[in-house]
Amino acid sequence: MKNLNLINARKRKNLTQSELAKQLKCVSKAAISNWETGYSKPRLEMAIAVSIILEEDVAFLFSYNVQESCTKQFA
């Protein structure tokens, strides 16, 4: 399912996927595209960075649909 909130917020800032990726530094244009199409979801840290750049709430942009930032280890 497309993430229209993310797509529209990026467009309101007049940013292309490549420009947003460049601002995030360690993310590719393909990753932005995957987040927008719903193919994948960002890590929490990246979702927060996107929300700061786009000046939108993380919950609005990603509906709390983000990856956990760490993996759990089991004994």
Side-chain angles (χ1 to χ4, degrees):
M1 175 180 263
K2 283 193 174 191
N3 184 338
L4 295 177
N5 289 345
L6 177 57
I7 294 167
N8 292 330
R10 177 180 55 76
K11 288 181 178 180
R12 277 194 297 276
K13 286 291 190 179
N14 295 312
L15 293 172
T16 64
Q17 291 176 341
S18 295
E19 291 167 336
L20 179 56
K22 186 178 269 189
Q23 287 191 27
L24 292 167
K25 295 188 172 95
C26 60
V27 172
S28 68
K29 176 202 173 289
I32 305 294
S33 176
N34 288 340
W35 300 342
E36 289 185 356
T37 61
Y39 183 75
S40 66
K41 53 189 176 179
R43 292 185 334 269
L44 179 58
E45 298 86 7
M46 203 53 54
I48 292 169
V50 170
S51 73
I52 291 168
I53 291 168
L54 298 181
E55 299 178 358
E56 294 286 354
D57 188 78
V58 173
F60 173 77
L61 291 175
F62 298 103
S63 302
Y64 298 105
N65 192 17
V66 297
Q67 292 181 17
E68 289 187 31
S69 60
C70 62
T71 57
K72 297 177 183 173
Q73 294 188 13
F74 298 95

